[in-house]
């Protein structure tokens, strides 16, 4: 059985590598996505990657993942701190999710320290630069393996 993981990038992450390199690094989103795909290939899992600047689109993509994806790795970007709709979508679909952040949100402005989804995801990876996605994928893979072990 081939496992499928949906990776979601939130608003403004399409600008990765082009602005604020001190905060988010110098890799572009394309380059980060290539790393994600190559790690997934190594581990024998299937990934689909999606970036959106729109909250409703993010919610709909999560709804559409029901029955198709085994896990979600999500960097909701600014929606992390604002979106009850995103929280409700993750709760409603109940697909195991890992929250990832490139920067360490706990060392930044107070409004970034609060995540509206941290208690509805399985866990959070924050502060490892683009490697946060790789660690998030690893967590999702281990989570699925443990679940299938019974
Ligand atoms: O550290 C993260 O991954 C964040 O989710 C990134 C969000 C921020 O709102 C969260 O608090 C933490 C911002 C993503 C914006 O990405 C940019 C990339 C390049 C240039 C400007 C913004």
């Amino acid at each position: 059985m081939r496992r499928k993981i949906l990776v979601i990038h939130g608003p403004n992450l399409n600008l990765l590598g082009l602005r604020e390199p001190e905060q988010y690094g110098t890799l572009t989103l394309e380059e980060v996505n290539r790393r994600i795909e190559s790690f997934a290939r190594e581990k024998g899992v299937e990934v689909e990657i999606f970036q959106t600047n729109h909250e409703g689109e993010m919610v709909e993509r999560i709804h559409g993942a029901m029955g198709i994806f085994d896990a979600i790795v999500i960097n909701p970007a600014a929606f992390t701190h604002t979106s009850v709709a995103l929280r409700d979508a993750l709760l409603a679909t109940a697909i195991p999710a890992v929250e990832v952040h490139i920067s360490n949100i706990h060392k930044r402005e107070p409004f970034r320290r609060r995540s509206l989804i941290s208690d509805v995801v399985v866990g959070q990876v924050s502060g490892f630069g683009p490697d946060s996605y790789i660690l998030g994928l690893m967590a999702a893979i281990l989570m699925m393996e443990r679940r299938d072990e019974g």
Side-chain angles (χ1 to χ4, degrees):
M1 178 223 343
R2 201 161 160 85
R3 300 185 173 101
K4 287 185 75 165
I5 302 176
L6 175 63
V7 177
I8 301 179
H9 302 287
N12 299 305
L13 286 165
N14 52 310
L15 299 178
L16 218 52
L18 310 175
R19 300 264 188 292
E20 299 186 50
E22 60 299 330
Q23 198 64 257
Y24 303 118
T26 54
L27 292 183
T28 63
L29 187 62
E30 269 297 293
E31 290 166 332
V32 171
N33 288 344
R34 266 188 256 131
R35 288 187 178 194
I36 291 172
E37 283 162 355
S38 124
F39 184 74
R41 235 183 340 266
E42 253 173 55
K43 295 291 169 193
V45 298
E46 214 172 299
V47 278
E48 196 168 303
I49 305 175
F50 172 74
Q51 189 273 329
T52 182
N53 292 319
H54 304 278
E55 186 176 3
E57 252 178 36
M58 189 179 280
V59 166
E60 282 173 2
R61 200 66 187 75
I62 293 169
H63 294 171
M66 259 190 300
I68 296 174
F69 290 92
D70 303 291
I72 295 176
V73 171
I74 184 166
N75 181 352
F79 297 150
T80 308
H81 318 296
T82 61
S83 180
V84 175
L86 168 64
R87 175 192 171 82
D88 287 347
L90 290 169
L91 264 177
T93 55
I95 303 169
V98 180
E99 174 183 356
V100 310
H101 297 285
I102 297 168
S103 62
N104 182 344
I105 58 172
H106 304 285
K107 304 208 262 216
R108 299 185 62 189
E109 304 95 320
F111 71 87
R112 289 190 207 274
R113 292 184 200 140
R114 187 185 67 148
S115 162
L116 295 190
I117 68 162
S118 59
D119 62 325
V120 302
V121 294
V122 179
Q124 185 190 70
V125 179
S126 180
F128 296 92
D131 281 337
S132 290
Y133 287 100
I134 304 300
L135 294 168
L137 270 179
M138 193 66 241
I141 293 166
L142 285 173
M143 191 167 84
M144 294 184 294
E145 284 176 2
R146 301 285 180 260
R147 181 202 56 198
D148 295 345
E149 280 165 14

